[in-house]
Amino acid sequence: MKLFCSLLAILSVAVFAQPSDFPSQEDLMNPKKWTANSSGSMTISFDEAEQALRFDVTFPANVDKWIYPKFRVKSPVTFNGAKTMTFDMKIAPTPDFNGFVTCLLMLGGRAGYEPAEPGQWKTITLDLKHLDLKTANEFQLGMNPKYLKHTYFIKNIRFGGTPMERVYPP
């Protein structure tokens, strides 16, 4: 009987335990799961034609221009254990395009990237091994454009590695 109870206990832990996982595509592509965060007026939507998240920002004149929308997760979803992040990006063409000051992923630190050329899709893979992801519960993916009206698209966001349970500080 003891053996049976022990096996039952082990089986129940295996069946009912909630393993950690990286964010799902369904959540990552849901504009309602993102929080607008910019120095301008920002909207986040899903663009049916591009099959991608769409971020539109209009800045007032003479302001430090930055766009870093936030995506937050709750347990058991984690970023801990991620070694890479890959996503497809497209910058909408605009007549006043003037490049970027910087483009960053903020997730337990910062990782810079080269954005897509306007009008072109680009697959970007970032190395996350130098970032501290143990306690991270959100990421921000954005840029600092040098012009007043900016639109970009993101799709196929994915994390490479083995998900590990997030560490909660005492």
Side-chain angles (χ1 to χ4, degrees):
M1 184 68 172
K2 273 186 171 178
L3 178 60
F4 176 74
C5 290
S6 296
L7 288 172
L8 187 60
I10 291 169
L11 182 60
S12 68
V13 168
V15 170
F16 297 108
Q18 282 191 316
S20 298
D21 204 357
F22 296 135
S24 70
Q25 275 298 301
E26 181 181 344
D27 284 346
L28 288 164
M29 296 305 294
N30 181 347
K32 293 179 182 177
K33 299 277 185 175
W34 289 78
T35 303
N37 184 41
S38 77
S39 60
S41 173
M42 180 178 199
T43 60
I44 304 170
S45 61
F46 185 80
D47 188 287
E48 290 292 335
E50 296 288 354
Q51 286 296 293
L53 289 169
R54 178 183 176 128
F55 302 91
D56 293 287
V57 180
T58 302
F59 298 100
N62 302 319
V63 68
D64 180 27
K65 299 166 197 65
W66 54 268
I67 308 165
Y68 290 95
K70 296 178 182 184
F71 183 88
R72 183 170 285 223
V73 299
K74 294 179 183 170
S75 185
V77 179
T78 184
F79 300 111
N80 193 17
K83 303 297 181 203
T84 61
M85 177 184 185
T86 301
F87 56 94
D88 297 336
M89 171 183 272
K90 181 179 179 180
I91 307 293
T94 182
D96 65 340
F97 179 79
N98 195 22
F100 303 93
V101 174
T102 191
C103 298
L104 296 169
L105 165 70
M106 291 185 255
L107 171 61
R110 294 178 177 194
Y113 65 90
E114 287 295 319
E117 291 295 320
Q120 303 295 314
W121 279 103
K122 179 180 180 180
T123 299
I124 298 167
T125 298
L126 301 175
D127 183 349
L128 307 181
K129 292 179 204 131
H130 68 285
L131 302 178
D132 183 8
L133 305 180
K134 290 182 197 85
T135 62
N137 68 346
E138 74 176 20
F139 72 85
Q140 297 172 245
L141 183 60
M143 58 207 66
N144 297 63
K146 297 180 183 178
Y147 48 101
L148 295 178
K149 191 169 182 175
H150 181 65
T151 297
Y152 68 105
F153 305 92
I154 299 286
K155 64 182 178 181
N156 299 324
I157 304 167
R158 53 214 180 270
F159 293 88
T162 302
M164 297 168 43
E165 187 174 342
R166 188 167 5 129
V167 176
Y168 296 91

